[in-house]
Amino acid sequence: MEFKEAVPYVVAAYMGIWVVLFAYVFAVNNKLSGLKKELGALNKAFEKKSVD
Amino acid sequence: MEKATKLLFAIAAVLLLTGLALAFLVAPQIVIQKDGKDVSIFSQKIFYFHAPIAETSLVAFVIGAIFGALFLARKERKYDFLSFASVELGFVFGALVMWTGDIWTRSEWGTWWEWEPRLTTYLILMLLYSGYFVLRSAVSEESSKARLSAAYSVIAAVTVPFTFFAIRLIPSVHPIVFDSSGAKMEHSMLAAFLVSMFGMTVLYVAFLLLRYQTLLAGEEVDYLKNKLGG
């Protein structure tokens, strides 16, 4: 395959890799942030319940 | 995200960008003779990330099996989480292997798919591991889910060496870059490959820690919710 013909394939391969890896790290990190917020709220609620 | 995980992601990013630069700016372009003309194989550049991702996916499946075996032996929840996280990462990396491999196959062999040993065994491996997620989502009771998926991860890992050695044991059109005589490439190409390989491994460890932290936080949330509800 000529250089010009091969370029879109190489670009597609590398773009796919970066997009998937960034999407995965973004999704997992977002989930972790959400869970930490929820954990903070639950801990406060638990402390309040213990005091009451 | 914890500081250590952030640092690992930063190291992985630096290594992968260095690997990319070495692959495109330093490693020579492969040129072959075709019908008396010099033809450059630019799509070979896919190899510098395709092979490290493939190796990392297989390593992730094996580590998933090791943690699965540890869970079965010690019954500690952390091993179930680590096994699940590693298998999930193996699957994500595996999807990227299929993606980059198919693109390379199309550009070099002129077809999207070839029923040859490496592609076929890797497809079987991916189908087998997709069953792992079906099993995990089908079982609702936590201890049964952990026990069954740990056993499954150990059994499924049997396909890993089979996939790795397939092209070395069965005649195949898939390139073999490393054999008993060493690497079949120039030093600059090997350097680009090794830097990318190391970067991908660090990225896997960073992802594993991040995913493990998520699973731990999820369990803690469930525990507190149950305690508050009760």
Side-chain angles (χ1 to χ4, degrees), chain A residues 1 9 12 14 24 38 49, chain B residues 20 45 88 103 225 228:
Chain A
M1 184 177 275
Y9 288 102
Y14 278 95
Y24 186 73
E38 204 177 346
K49 198 181 174 186
Chain B
L20 204 60
K45 298 286 182 193
E88 184 181 281
I103 289 177
K225 273 182 180 172
L228 278 169

Side-chain angles (χ1 to χ4, degrees), chain B residues 4-181:
Chain B
T5 316
K6 272 184 188 170
L7 182 68
L8 282 172
F9 273 114
I11 294 169
V14 170
L15 285 168
L16 291 174
L17 289 172
T18 308
L20 204 60
L22 288 172
F24 282 90
L25 305 174
V26 180
Q29 200 158 305
I30 287 183
V31 178
I32 59 160
Q33 283 276 320
K34 201 174 179 182
D35 304 326
K37 283 197 319 186
D38 284 346
V39 179
S40 69
I41 313 282
F42 185 64
S43 56
Q44 182 270 340
K45 298 286 182 193
I46 294 171
F47 157 81
Y48 295 103
F49 267 35
H50 170 75
I53 290 171
E55 304 285 348
T56 311
S57 78
L58 297 180
V59 167
F61 288 133
V62 170
I63 290 175
I66 292 168
F67 282 129
L70 280 169
F71 175 79
L72 291 173
R74 297 183 186 173
K75 303 278 182 274
E76 288 175 34
R77 192 79 167 127
K78 66 178 177 184
Y79 294 124
D80 171 52
F81 285 162
L82 286 165
S83 176
F84 173 58
S86 195
V87 171
E88 184 181 281
L89 282 167
F91 202 78
V92 171
F93 279 90
L96 289 174
V97 174
M98 302 287 284
W99 167 252
T100 52
D102 276 347
I103 289 177
W104 186 83
T105 306
R106 178 73 183 88
S107 63
E108 281 312 308
W109 299 344
T111 176
W112 287 105
W113 187 261
E114 188 71 45
W115 290 102
E116 62 82 54
R118 173 53 63 80
L119 271 68
T120 309
T121 52
Y122 202 88
L123 178 67
I124 292 168
L125 177 141
M126 287 296 281
L127 290 172
L128 202 64
Y129 273 102
S130 57
Y132 174 89
F133 299 103
V134 174
L135 173 76
R136 228 178 142 90
S137 60
V139 183
S140 53
E141 206 271 310
E142 287 299 323
S143 64
S144 301
K145 180 195 284 190
R147 201 176 60 250
L148 287 171
S149 51
Y152 194 102
S153 72
V154 173
I155 294 164
V158 172
T159 54
V160 172
F162 191 67
T163 302
F164 185 78
F165 290 110
I167 55 170
R168 288 162 177 86
L169 300 172
I170 308 165
S172 167
V173 285
H174 191 283
I176 301 175
V177 182
F178 297 96
D179 60 16
S180 52
S181 62

